[in-house]
Amino acid sequence: MPQVQLSAVEERVYQAVSALEVQGHVPYPDLIAQETGMTEEELREPLHSLTERGLLHREDSPMSGLDFGPRWCARQMA
């Protein structure tokens, strides 16, 4: 399987999501922004791009009535 080429920003976002998951945090956009030093607005494009490539997937809040926004989960790169 070929290695996926990521831009520097995509790599930073992917690594931030992975790091948050390893630390036991839920990777909500505000935490991803904090981890990367980016704004939530700046995250939109790399999150979308990584999702299209199958490296991240979005999950909506699992508890009805408690919506903290979408969370992003990393898939392992081959």
Side-chain angles (χ1 to χ4, degrees):
M1 179 176 223
Q3 181 72 18
V4 177
Q5 293 291 86
L6 301 178
S7 71
V9 171
E10 290 170 334
E11 178 71 24
R12 198 162 100 199
V13 171
Y14 181 83
Q15 293 299 331
V17 171
S18 297
L20 288 167
E21 289 179 326
V22 167
Q23 296 165 14
H25 298 290
V26 179
Y28 290 116
D30 61 334
L31 288 177
I32 299 168
Q34 183 179 351
E35 186 79 13
T36 61
M38 300 167 66
T39 67
E40 288 186 50
E41 180 69 30
E42 292 171 320
L43 288 175
R44 286 186 183 168
E45 182 57 37
L47 286 173
H48 178 73
S49 175
L50 290 165
T51 301
E52 280 188 337
R53 293 173 178 214
L55 296 173
L56 296 181
H57 68 278
R58 176 185 166 147
E59 293 181 359
D60 292 316
S61 182
M63 294 187 278
S64 60
L66 293 176
D67 187 9
F68 298 110
R71 58 185 180 206
W72 300 87
C73 301
R75 298 182 194 268
Q76 294 301 317
M77 283 200 271

